[in-house]
Amino acid sequence: SLCRIYKKTSGNGSIALYLGKRDFVDHVESVDIVDGVIKVDPAELEGRKVWVYLACSFRYGSDDLDLIGMNYRKDIWIKRQQIYPVDGTKPANTPMQEALLKKCEDQGHAFTFNIDNNLPCSVGLQPAPEDVGKACGVDYEVKAYIANEADDPDEKINKKDTCRLIIRKIQFAPGTIPAGPQADISKNFMMSDKLVHLEASIEKELYFHGDQIPVKVKINNETTKVYILILTVGESQCSVCVVVLRREEVKGESTMEKTFMVVPLLSNNKEKRGLAVDGRLKDEDTNLASTTLMRPGMDKGMQGILVSYKIKVNLLVSSGGLLGGLTAR
């Protein structure tokens, strides 16, 4: 069957990297294997070896912030394999690898990586239109290179001896969907002995990209004051507001029960700097970042960016509070 193959060739043409896909799924309990093939022309190796590595890196600063050679990039996890000369035994080839090896003939060499399931998914912070260089975030890279040793800090690897492809680790939601959360509060404000009751809830805890999220709000205003309701949805890790619904007025001594339909979409928030988005590949669109699923025993320090979402309901006194400019909420 026809399938798309991703290829990157080194500047000197000695090695070429092939991948059958660039999206690898985290199924919570396990992660898709990263399988590929490297074509090696030994004519210009000059006794050196060919290596391949898979690295998960966290970039926490933009290129224009680099000072005195500092690199705002940290390798969270990295694995290497020697490709040529062949060293040790290799796992069984996948059907995609078998097809590529037939085309590469005796110059093809397969490689396979297993990604740990405690590693973060690909996520980036949306840059401002005027920002330059690579965006901050977590990304995965497959890189083939020619060197004498796998990782010798004293050996300088020429750029023409390397080829690389950025891949994404994306997350599928778990099969079971817990019931949605509910929050309520009762409060009395200054100069009033009666209460305002506010309750908010959603039907389930998990939603997919593009889903409508029905937010049910109940208000019982026992006071004589008029309140303004404001509902927002945002990413809590960066305090970036994604959706702001229209205001609703709640009159004195009245009740209100209403369901608001919320649809957080990146297409409506493309100008917001610092918004977390799923890892972006060149010339491809993406979505708002998925929530980080933390399993027991996972190290938060290895996650790079933790993503979560919250729904916030504000109730404000419309008169501006006791002193006019002082708002009670």
Side-chain angles (χ1 to χ4, degrees):
S1 60
L2 295 176
C3 64
R4 183 175 182 179
I5 298 296
Y6 298 91
K7 175 185 177 183
K8 208 53 153 324
T9 305
S10 63
N12 59 19
S14 296
I15 54 176
L17 171 63
Y18 296 87
L19 290 176
K21 59 182 180 180
R22 297 179 74 178
D23 284 341
F24 297 87
V25 178
D26 181 347
H27 301 278
V28 182
E29 298 301 328
S30 63
V31 185
D32 290 349
I33 63 169
V34 179
D35 56 335
V37 167
I38 295 177
K39 184 178 180 181
V40 179
D41 182 359
E44 296 185 22
L45 296 185
E46 300 174 350
R48 296 174 296 171
K49 302 172 183 177
V50 177
W51 309 81
V52 61
Y53 78 52
L54 171 61
C56 171
S57 303
F58 175 39
R59 179 177 290 276
Y60 51 91
S62 57
D63 294 337
D64 57 348
L65 294 177
D66 287 356
L67 299 172
I68 57 173
M70 290 181 63
N71 186 9
Y72 290 87
R73 182 178 179 272
K74 173 186 175 183
D75 286 333
I76 299 175
W77 177 88
I78 188 168
K79 278 193 175 180
R80 289 183 172 86
Q81 291 182 21
Q82 180 176 318
I83 293 297
Y84 183 88
V86 178
D87 181 31
T89 59
K90 304 287 184 181
N93 294 328
T94 63
M96 186 275 298
Q97 288 174 324
E98 289 289 354
L100 286 173
L101 289 172
K102 288 180 181 179
K103 290 187 175 295
C104 296
E105 298 178 343
D106 58 344
Q107 292 187 337
H109 302 272
F111 66 88
T112 301
F113 287 107
N114 293 299
I115 303 177
D116 291 350
N117 64 354
N118 64 339
L119 293 176
C121 291
S122 301
V123 59
L125 297 184
Q126 183 166 263
E130 66 272 12
D131 290 345
V132 295
K134 294 183 178 179
C136 298
V138 175
D139 61 49
Y140 288 79
E141 176 187 67
V142 180
K143 175 182 173 182
Y145 60 99
I146 303 171
N148 291 306
E149 300 294 335
D151 185 26
D152 184 355
D154 297 324
E155 182 180 10
K156 185 176 181 180
I157 301 175
N158 199 308
K159 192 173 182 180
K160 69 177 183 179
D161 291 331
T162 66
C163 53
R164 64 184 71 194
L165 283 169
I166 299 296
I167 64 173
R168 291 192 297 192
K169 178 174 176 280
I170 58 177
Q171 186 150 304
F172 272 16
T176 58
I177 301 179
Q182 175 180 315
D184 61 85
I185 186 172
S186 295
K187 188 173 179 64
N188 64 325
F189 293 99
M190 194 178 298
M191 308 300 291
S192 174
D193 60 347
K194 294 186 178 181
L195 296 174
V196 178
H197 305 275
L198 172 62
E199 180 184 309
S201 62
I202 55 177
E203 295 176 352
K204 55 185 180 179
E205 192 177 76
L206 189 148
Y207 292 87
F208 296 95
H209 295 301
D211 282 356
Q212 287 190 332
I213 305 174
V215 182
K216 191 173 184 178
V217 178
K218 296 180 180 179
I219 300 171
N220 182 16
N221 180 14
E222 298 178 356
T223 73
T224 58
K225 296 183 178 295
V226 177
Y227 292 87
I228 301 297
L229 170 73
I230 300 176
L231 176 64
T232 62
V233 179
E235 291 181 347
S236 60
Q237 92 289 352
C238 348
S239 298
V240 177
C241 180
V242 180
V243 176
V244 180
L245 291 183
R246 67 183 186 276
R247 299 186 177 198
E248 293 284 340
E249 187 178 277
V250 184
K251 297 186 180 298
E253 298 180 333
S254 67
T255 60
M256 187 189 83
E257 184 172 337
K258 192 166 186 177
T259 299
F260 299 89
M261 304 305 295
V262 181
V263 187
L265 294 173
L266 179 60
S267 57
N268 300 331
N269 297 275
K270 286 184 177 282
E271 302 302 319
K272 292 180 179 174
R273 182 180 187 175
L275 199 65
V277 298
D278 280 337
R280 189 191 304 271
L281 298 176
K282 186 177 180 181
D283 299 327
E284 293 187 21
D285 206 353
T286 185
N287 299 295
L288 293 170
S290 300
T291 299
T292 303
L293 298 182
M294 296 294 296
R295 288 178 291 275
M298 290 180 66
D299 182 3
K300 289 186 177 181
M302 291 185 64
Q303 298 306 304
I305 298 176
L306 294 174
V307 180
S308 60
Y309 290 85
K310 65 180 178 182
I311 294 171
K312 186 175 181 179
V313 181
N314 280 344
L315 208 56
L316 297 88
V317 178
S318 63
S319 59
L322 180 64
L323 301 178
L326 179 62
T327 301
R329 68 171 64 192

